[in-house]
Amino acid sequence: MRRRRRDETVLITDAAPSLDDEQRHRKRVYAVLMVVHLVGFATAGLLAHFWMVALGIVVVTGALPWIAVVLANDRASRRGKPRAKRGGGPEIEDRHHDQIDI
Protein backbone atom coordinates (compact mmCIF):
# COMPACT_ATOMS: atom_id res chain seq x y z
CA MET A 1 0.00 0.00 0.00
CA ARG A 2 1.36 3.42 -0.98
CA ARG A 3 1.67 6.06 1.66
CA ARG A 4 0.51 9.57 0.94
CA ARG A 5 2.92 12.41 1.12
CA ARG A 6 2.02 14.99 3.71
CA ASP A 7 1.86 17.87 1.22
CA GLU A 8 -0.86 16.25 -0.92
CA THR A 9 -4.32 17.59 -0.31
CA VAL A 10 -7.33 15.36 -0.24
CA LEU A 11 -10.66 16.47 -1.67
CA ILE A 12 -13.30 15.80 0.94
CA THR A 13 -16.26 17.68 -0.54
CA ASP A 14 -17.77 18.59 -3.87
CA ALA A 15 -17.98 22.22 -2.83
CA ALA A 16 -18.53 24.81 -5.51
CA PRO A 17 -15.76 27.33 -6.17
CA SER A 18 -15.99 30.54 -4.19
CA LEU A 19 -17.95 33.40 -5.68
CA ASP A 20 -14.77 35.44 -6.10
CA ASP A 21 -13.06 32.65 -8.05
CA GLU A 22 -16.12 32.12 -10.18
CA GLN A 23 -16.48 35.83 -10.94
CA ARG A 24 -12.76 36.10 -11.78
CA HIS A 25 -13.13 33.21 -14.24
CA ARG A 26 -16.21 34.77 -15.87
CA LYS A 27 -14.42 38.13 -16.22
CA ARG A 28 -11.46 36.41 -17.84
CA VAL A 29 -13.69 34.56 -20.34
CA TYR A 30 -15.50 37.82 -21.16
CA ALA A 31 -12.22 39.69 -21.68
CA VAL A 32 -10.79 36.98 -23.95
CA LEU A 33 -13.91 36.88 -26.13
CA MET A 34 -14.01 40.66 -26.44
CA VAL A 35 -10.32 40.79 -27.41
CA VAL A 36 -10.99 38.17 -30.10
CA HIS A 37 -13.95 40.28 -31.27
CA LEU A 38 -11.88 43.48 -31.47
CA VAL A 39 -8.97 41.77 -33.21
CA GLY A 40 -11.42 40.27 -35.71
CA PHE A 41 -12.93 43.64 -36.55
CA ALA A 42 -9.50 45.27 -36.82
CA THR A 43 -8.38 42.48 -39.14
CA ALA A 44 -11.53 42.88 -41.22
CA GLY A 45 -10.81 46.60 -41.47
CA LEU A 46 -7.27 45.92 -42.65
CA LEU A 47 -8.52 43.41 -45.20
CA ALA A 48 -11.31 45.66 -46.50
CA HIS A 49 -9.96 45.45 -50.06
CA PHE A 50 -10.64 41.68 -49.89
CA TRP A 51 -14.28 42.30 -49.06
CA MET A 52 -15.35 38.63 -49.04
CA VAL A 53 -12.71 37.75 -46.43
CA ALA A 54 -13.53 40.84 -44.39
CA LEU A 55 -17.24 40.05 -44.51
CA GLY A 56 -16.55 36.49 -43.37
CA ILE A 57 -14.50 37.72 -40.41
CA VAL A 58 -17.22 40.20 -39.43
CA VAL A 59 -19.89 37.48 -39.60
CA VAL A 60 -17.82 35.07 -37.51
CA THR A 61 -16.86 37.63 -34.84
CA GLY A 62 -20.13 39.58 -34.93
CA ALA A 63 -21.94 37.40 -32.39
CA LEU A 64 -19.05 37.32 -29.91
CA PRO A 65 -20.25 40.26 -27.76
CA TRP A 66 -23.60 38.56 -27.21
CA ILE A 67 -21.93 35.22 -26.47
CA ALA A 68 -19.49 36.92 -24.08
CA VAL A 69 -22.32 38.52 -22.10
CA VAL A 70 -24.28 35.28 -21.90
CA LEU A 71 -21.24 33.35 -20.69
CA ALA A 72 -20.26 36.09 -18.24
CA ASN A 73 -23.72 36.02 -16.65
CA ASP A 74 -23.89 32.22 -16.40
CA ARG A 75 -23.08 30.73 -13.01
CA ALA A 76 -21.16 27.49 -13.40
CA SER A 77 -22.25 26.10 -10.04
CA ARG A 78 -25.89 25.99 -11.15
CA ARG A 79 -25.24 23.97 -14.30
CA GLY A 80 -25.82 20.23 -14.12
CA LYS A 81 -26.10 19.86 -10.37
CA PRO A 82 -29.36 18.73 -8.81
CA ARG A 83 -30.67 20.78 -5.95
CA ALA A 84 -30.29 19.30 -2.52
CA LYS A 85 -33.42 18.13 -0.79
CA ARG A 86 -34.32 20.39 2.10
CA GLY A 87 -36.35 19.41 5.09
CA GLY A 88 -36.66 16.09 6.80
CA GLY A 89 -40.13 15.16 5.59
CA PRO A 90 -41.03 11.56 4.91
CA GLU A 91 -40.29 10.19 1.50
CA ILE A 92 -43.05 8.72 -0.64
CA GLU A 93 -42.96 4.97 -0.64
CA ASP A 94 -43.77 2.98 -3.74
CA ARG A 95 -46.51 0.61 -2.58
CA HIS A 96 -48.76 -1.58 -4.64
CA HIS A 97 -52.44 -0.88 -3.96
CA ASP A 98 -55.22 -3.10 -5.21
CA GLN A 99 -57.86 -1.29 -7.21
CA ILE A 100 -61.51 -2.22 -6.91
CA ASP A 101 -63.53 -2.02 -10.14
CA ILE A 102 -67.20 -1.22 -9.73
Side-chain angles (χ1 to χ4, degrees):
M1 183 174 186
R2 272 182 37 203
R3 291 175 40 179
R4 281 190 195 271
R5 294 189 317 183
R6 289 183 181 249
D7 58 326
E8 285 183 334
T9 58
V10 178
L11 180 63
I12 59 173
T13 65
D14 289 331
S18 70
L19 292 177
D20 291 335
D21 291 341
E22 189 176 339
Q23 187 176 21
R24 191 176 309 114
H25 173 71
R26 289 186 283 151
K27 283 181 180 180
R28 201 172 295 140
V29 168
Y30 179 82
V32 167
L33 287 176
M34 291 310 294
V35 165
V36 170
H37 172 71
L38 291 174
V39 168
F41 268 102
T43 304
L46 294 174
L47 298 175
H49 53 279
F50 300 112
W51 67 273
M52 290 293 284
V53 175
L55 181 64
I57 292 172
V58 168
V59 168
V60 169
T61 62
L64 284 181
W66 178 77
I67 293 170
V69 169
V70 169
L71 290 178
N73 289 327
D74 187 25
R75 289 204 43 203
S77 62
R78 291 186 184 176
R79 279 186 260 136
K81 289 189 177 182
R83 297 185 119 196
K85 179 181 173 185
R86 292 189 177 181
E91 294 184 14
I92 299 174
E93 296 179 10
D94 185 23
R95 296 184 184 171
H96 176 70
H97 298 282
D98 291 329
Q99 183 176 1
I100 301 173
D101 292 329
I102 300 178

